[in-house]
């Protein structure tokens, strides 16, 4: 392609005089499409463009994916985006949008019907299509008539005629459509037999390797050649045809360039074709060699160092690479100007235990998430397991619904085990039916198994101990500091959820939701519980704040002391729900609260001074994890500079238990 562009730019040839050919061009079509798009060269696919490279082909592919892969929301949204404005029933959708949660699974027509129940106009149009797609490839012909028009419909019919409907994805890949470009006024990308039929002055023959030039027919006749001559079975063998085409192209071309690969697609060495062995000139071209004539903008920047220096994007990338290897902290590591307005206003908002943990352990990730609003990409395809954070959310919702069902009558404390099990079964049935309409959950069978596992964890957390105090009331997911609760409470809270909670000695407000709160009004005592669904660490009884990773118990205790001033005793504990279930109490909660407040004050000073450093604490699942900055060598190289910038007092907190 660089060679063709050089011929055009020099004026030696017109586009209609240039050809690039090989014996089997289909394998290279995707590469040639990308190069033609990036270079804007007039390239004609003489053997036809891949149908899937066109919008009509993508319409067919989206319909085939929905018929074969199921009714996942990602598939339906893709189909709607491609199939609208064709004169089909889908044109009646308002704005072509779906009034459902983008995270919902919606794997069956019944779930789609429940999700669209509130929007009758959309449901009346979409539900007949959903029901038809749910029947699968047996209704491929009817689906094509309903949703495809014009050339897309013709491609669909061709694919159904060439293979069974169950093989739609394979038959669509094999389809070709005629190129819209005029081959007489374009560079020809074709097979060698097509070029031999209409030779051109300038020809590049590529892929001259063994088994490719010439090709072997691959036939293995049962009778040997001395019994039945091969010429009688195949009068024009493929090998002879390839040789004849090669000789014709080379003889008629003013300039013929022959090229071969040194390695195969799987990295094995391959030899040159016998057709190329007779040539006198052989030039080895390294892959990384800068182009003598640039095809694209990337080629030009690679070949001209002076242009790279003038390009702001490339200069910034090179500066980032140099700063990554440096042992000092640089702007690419998070250093900004002092008193930056985005940082000054950041801590004026209420902080959650999660946000404070990120601030203390990884200020760079804290700024990414809360100041810049960066979020991890969410994979829309349905997974086979529920992610760990969603599993925790599922268990917490089961716990909340179970306790709310038992309070105030008969009361969680007074409820027998079978009452707890019945309330938990009711909560599980609600979650089993509603979560697929709101969240990306596993397929139905695995989803039921996941809910059963969550029910076991929830039941273990609710029944592993017996409450004997007659004056005890229990709540779950109790909001404080302005934190909103997902569902309305059927019973009043022990405090005003909008009342502010402030870290001692600071003006930093905190908010959140306590997993479980048990209040004894007579004894003026309260106990808060933080449930964990993950794996139990090696020594959980020795962990208090875990270097800033476990702040829930400390902040929950602080909220209770401020919102319930009459309470004389506050107990905080951590319960791991995986067997064996055991509670781990927090010792010296008030002293730890003062420690965390002092730590946050120090971190705030450093942050507002413009020192935003990556975390040095061990974090297996770091938010914003990208290739190079997340490597251990990067943190090790910067650790001395980070500790110096943060200060001795702040660095001392990172090892706290």
């Amino acid at each position: 392609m660089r060679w063709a562009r050089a011929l055009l730019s020099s004026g030696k040839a017109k586009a209609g005089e240039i050809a690039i050919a090989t014996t089997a061009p289909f394998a290279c079509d995707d590469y040639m499409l990308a190069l033609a798009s990036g270079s804007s060269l007039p390239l004609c696919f003489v053997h036809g463009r891949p149908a899937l490279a066109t919008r009509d082909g993508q319409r067919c592919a989206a319909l085939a994916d929905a018929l074969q892969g199921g009714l996942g929301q990602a598939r339906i949204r893709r189909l709607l985006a491609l199939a609208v404005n064709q004169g089909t029933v889908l044109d009646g959708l308002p704005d072509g949008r779906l009034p459902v949660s983008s995270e919902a699974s919606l794997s069956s027509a019944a779930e789609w019907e429940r999700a669209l129940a509130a929007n009758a106009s959309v449901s009346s149009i979409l539900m007949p299509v959903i029901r038809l797609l749910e029947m699968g490839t047996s209704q491929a012909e009817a689906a094509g008539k309903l949703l495809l028009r014009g050339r897309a419909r013709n491609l669909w019919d061709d694919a159904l005629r060439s293979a069974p409907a169950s093989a739609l994805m394979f038959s669509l890949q094999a389809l070709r459509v005629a190129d819209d470009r005029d081959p007489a006024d374009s560079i020809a990308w074709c097979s060698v037999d097509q070029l031999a039929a209409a030779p051109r002055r300038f020809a590049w023959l590529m892929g001259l390797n063994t088994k490719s030039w010439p090709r072997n027919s691959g036939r293995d006749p049962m009778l040997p050649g001395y019994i039945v001559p091969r010429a009688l079975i195949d009068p024009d063998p493929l090998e002879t045809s390839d040789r004849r085409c090669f000789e014709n192209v080379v003889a008629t071309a003013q300039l013929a360039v022959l090229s071969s690969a040194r390695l195969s697609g799987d990295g094995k060495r391959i030899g040159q074709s016998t057709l190329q062995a007779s040539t006198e000139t052989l030039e080895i071209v390294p892959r990384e060699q800068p182009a003598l004539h640039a095809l694209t903008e990337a080629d030009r920047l690679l070949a001209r160092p002076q242009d790279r220096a003038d390009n702001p994007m490339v200069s910034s990338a090179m500066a980032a690479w140099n700063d990554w290897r440096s042992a000092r902290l640089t702007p690419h590591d998070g250093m900004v100007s002092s008193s930056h307005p985005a940082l000054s206003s950041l801590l004026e908002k209420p902080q959650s235990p999660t946000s404070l943990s990120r601030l203390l352990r990884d200020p760079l990730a804290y700024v990414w998430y809360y100041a810049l609003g960066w979020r991890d990409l969410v994979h829309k395809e349905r997974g086979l397991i529920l992610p760990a954070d969603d599993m925790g959310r599922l268990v917490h919702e089961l716990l909340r619904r179970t306790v709310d069902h038992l309070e105030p009558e008969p009361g969680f404390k007074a409820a027998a085990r079978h009452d707890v099990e019945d309330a938990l079964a009711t909560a599980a049935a609600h979650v089993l039916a509603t979560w697929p309409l709101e969240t990306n959950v596993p397929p139905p069978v695995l989803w039921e198994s996941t809910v059963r596992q969550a029910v076991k964890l929830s039941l273990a957390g609710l029944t592993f101990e017996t409450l004997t105090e007659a004056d005890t009331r229990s709540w779950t997911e109790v909001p404080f500091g302005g934190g909103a609760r997902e569902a309305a409470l059927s019973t009043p809270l022990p405090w005003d959820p909008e009342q502010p909670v402030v870290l001692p000695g600071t003006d930093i407000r905190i908010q959140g939701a306590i997993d479980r709160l048990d209040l004894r009004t007579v004894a003026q005592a309260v106990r808060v519980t933080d449930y964990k669904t993950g794996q139990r660490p090696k020594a959980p009884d020795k962990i208090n704040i875990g270097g800033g990773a476990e702040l829930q118990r400390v902040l929950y205790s602080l909220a209770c002391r401020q919102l319930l001033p009459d309470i004389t005793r506050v107990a905080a504990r951590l319960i791991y729900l995986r067997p064996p279930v055991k509670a781990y109490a927090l010792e010296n909660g008030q002293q730890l609260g003062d420690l965390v407040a002092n730590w946050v004050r120090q971190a705030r000073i450093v942050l507002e001074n413009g020192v935003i450093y990556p975390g040095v604490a061990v974090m297996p699942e770091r938010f914003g994890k990208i290739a190079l900055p997340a490597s251990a060598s990067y943190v090790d190289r910067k650790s001395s500079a980070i500790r110096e910038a943060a200060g001795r007092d702040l660095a001392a907190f990172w090892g706290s238990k």
Side-chain angles (χ1 to χ4, degrees):
M1 292 290 282
R2 291 167 177 162
W3 167 81
R5 190 181 188 95
L7 289 176
L8 292 175
S9 62
S10 65
K12 293 181 180 179
K14 298 179 181 179
E17 299 174 325
I18 305 173
I20 304 173
T22 186
T23 51
F26 308 104
C28 300
D29 279 348
D30 291 339
Y31 300 102
M32 300 301 284
L33 281 170
L35 292 173
S37 175
S39 62
S40 301
L41 284 182
L43 185 70
C44 177
F45 287 66
V46 179
H47 55 286
R49 286 178 176 261
L52 294 183
T54 65
R55 187 169 182 82
D56 291 309
Q58 284 299 306
R59 290 190 177 105
C60 296
L63 179 56
D65 192 24
L67 288 170
Q68 292 183 316
L71 301 178
Q73 189 176 168
R75 295 187 179 95
I76 298 300
R77 286 185 180 274
R78 178 191 175 203
L79 176 61
L80 295 182
L82 291 168
V84 294
N85 300 325
Q86 287 192 98
T88 65
V89 294
L90 297 179
D91 293 350
L93 291 175
D95 301 328
R97 298 178 181 177
L98 286 178
V100 296
S101 169
S102 61
E103 299 297 324
S105 296
L106 304 178
S107 59
S108 66
E111 291 179 355
W112 277 98
E113 190 168 11
R114 293 206 311 271
L116 297 172
N119 197 315
S121 60
V122 175
S123 180
S124 62
I125 296 173
L126 195 57
M127 283 313 302
V129 177
I130 295 292
R131 295 190 187 97
L132 180 64
L133 295 176
E134 191 177 33
M135 298 180 186
T137 54
S138 62
Q139 298 298 316
E141 186 174 355
K145 291 179 180 179
L146 181 65
L147 301 175
L148 299 177
R149 296 291 184 270
R151 189 161 65 171
R153 173 69 182 282
N154 295 334
L155 289 173
W156 187 257
D157 293 341
D158 290 343
L160 290 177
R161 282 193 295 268
S162 63
S166 58
L168 267 172
M169 297 304 291
F170 297 100
S171 54
L172 286 172
Q173 288 178 358
L175 290 181
R176 289 287 188 280
V177 296
D179 200 326
D180 296 333
R181 288 187 177 276
D182 182 5
D185 194 32
S186 306
I187 301 170
W189 162 240
C190 57
S191 61
V192 66
D193 56 336
Q194 291 172 325
L195 180 58
R200 297 199 171 189
R201 291 176 56 206
F202 300 90
W204 184 303
L205 304 182
M206 69 181 201
L208 272 84
N209 293 100
T210 55
K211 299 183 180 181
S212 299
W213 286 74
R215 293 169 291 176
N216 192 326
S217 64
R219 296 176 182 175
D220 186 13
M222 296 178 62
L223 297 176
Y226 63 85
I227 297 178
V228 178
R230 188 163 297 181
L232 294 178
I233 302 174
D234 188 3
D236 188 17
L238 187 60
E239 179 180 357
T240 304
S241 175
D242 284 349
R243 288 182 180 276
R244 184 174 60 250
C245 291
F246 175 82
E247 293 169 357
N248 186 14
V249 171
V250 173
T252 56
Q254 176 182 332
L255 173 64
V257 180
L258 312 179
S259 66
S260 61
R262 296 187 292 277
L263 301 175
S264 64
D266 55 3
K268 297 179 180 178
R269 287 187 174 275
I270 51 177
Q272 297 178 18
S273 167
T274 56
L275 299 177
Q276 191 182 9
S278 59
T279 58
E280 298 179 357
T281 305
L282 183 63
E283 180 184 1
I284 304 299
V285 181
R287 181 180 180 87
E288 66 277 6
Q289 175 180 319
L292 298 178
H293 189 94
L295 175 66
T296 62
E297 177 70 5
D299 262 355
R300 183 181 66 82
L301 293 175
L302 182 64
R304 296 174 61 88
Q306 62 274 25
D307 290 355
R308 291 202 300 269
D310 295 336
N311 187 287
M313 184 176 296
V314 176
S315 299
S316 177
M318 296 303 296
W321 173 247
N322 293 329
D323 288 346
W324 181 82
R325 293 183 296 177
S326 172
R328 60 185 179 84
L329 289 181
T330 68
H332 287 104
D333 300 300
M335 303 289 288
V336 299
S337 60
S338 179
S339 302
H340 195 285
L343 302 180
S344 300
S345 61
L346 190 56
L347 287 170
E348 295 177 1
K349 305 173 184 178
Q351 305 294 308
S352 66
T354 303
S355 66
L356 286 181
S357 180
R358 280 187 176 144
L359 170 64
L360 300 179
R361 291 164 58 81
D362 195 347
L364 186 59
Y366 173 79
V367 172
W368 283 351
Y369 193 93
Y370 296 100
L372 301 180
W374 292 2
R375 297 294 184 269
D376 285 330
L377 293 177
V378 178
H379 188 53
K380 297 298 182 183
E381 288 296 328
R382 170 177 289 196
L384 297 180
I385 61 173
L386 200 65
D389 53 347
D390 285 342
M391 185 65 177
R393 192 161 60 90
L394 171 61
V395 171
H396 281 75
E397 181 166 352
L398 290 174
L399 293 170
R400 174 177 64 81
R401 289 188 175 277
T402 301
V403 174
D404 286 356
H405 184 81
L406 297 172
E407 291 286 352
E409 294 293 338
F412 175 64
K413 177 199 71 65
R417 182 183 177 89
H418 65 85
D419 294 327
V420 176
E421 291 176 348
D422 292 344
L424 191 55
T426 302
H430 180 273
V431 166
L432 196 64
T434 57
W435 269 49
L437 309 183
E438 304 167 355
T439 308
N440 195 356
V441 300
V445 175
L446 294 177
W447 171 230
E448 293 176 4
S449 175
T450 302
V451 174
R452 286 197 298 269
Q453 180 185 0
V455 167
K456 289 181 180 179
L457 295 177
S458 303
L459 184 62
L462 293 171
T463 60
F464 89 102
E465 62 182 355
T466 302
L467 296 177
T468 58
E469 299 86 355
D471 59 334
T472 301
R473 281 288 308 275
S474 298
W475 292 266
T476 58
E477 298 297 320
V478 186
F480 64 89
R485 180 168 171 170
E486 295 181 1
L489 282 168
S490 58
T491 56
L493 289 170
W495 54 57
D496 179 7
E498 298 299 326
Q499 185 175 345
V501 178
V502 182
L503 281 177
T506 72
D507 59 351
I508 297 177
R509 293 170 294 154
I510 59 173
Q511 66 178 19
I514 299 175
D515 293 352
R516 176 175 155 190
L517 186 145
D518 302 314
L519 177 63
R520 294 185 62 194
T521 54
V522 175
Q524 295 183 340
V526 65
R527 180 175 62 190
V528 295
T529 303
D530 180 32
Y531 289 111
K532 296 291 185 182
T533 58
Q535 296 294 335
R536 183 183 286 101
K538 291 183 178 180
D541 54 327
K542 297 181 180 179
I543 296 177
N544 290 318
I545 58 176
E550 297 291 343
L551 300 180
Q552 286 87 346
R553 289 179 295 175
V554 175
L555 298 182
Y556 292 170
S557 302
L558 176 63
C560 290
R561 284 194 293 270
Q562 292 190 16
L563 298 176
L564 300 173
D566 296 334
I567 293 299
T568 58
R569 189 164 68 92
V570 177
R573 60 180 183 170
L574 176 65
I575 297 180
Y576 286 93
L577 296 178
R578 295 186 182 274
V581 181
K582 187 177 179 181
Y584 300 95
L586 178 69
E587 302 293 339
N588 302 321
Q590 188 164 0
Q591 295 180 8
L592 290 174
D594 296 336
L595 175 68
V596 171
N598 186 27
W599 190 355
V600 172
R601 280 197 300 270
Q602 296 285 344
R604 180 179 189 174
I605 294 172
V606 175
L607 184 71
E608 292 181 344
N609 286 335
V611 181
I612 311 174
Y613 50 86
V616 296
V618 178
M619 289 169 287
E621 296 297 333
R622 179 174 184 253
F623 166 75
K625 189 174 183 179
I626 53 180
L628 287 177
S631 66
S633 62
Y634 168 79
V635 176
D636 292 343
R637 184 163 53 252
K638 302 282 185 178
S639 60
S640 297
I642 290 172
R643 294 178 181 276
E644 181 179 353
R648 182 179 302 174
D649 295 338
L650 188 57
F653 287 109
W654 294 335
S656 57
K657 296 294 185 181

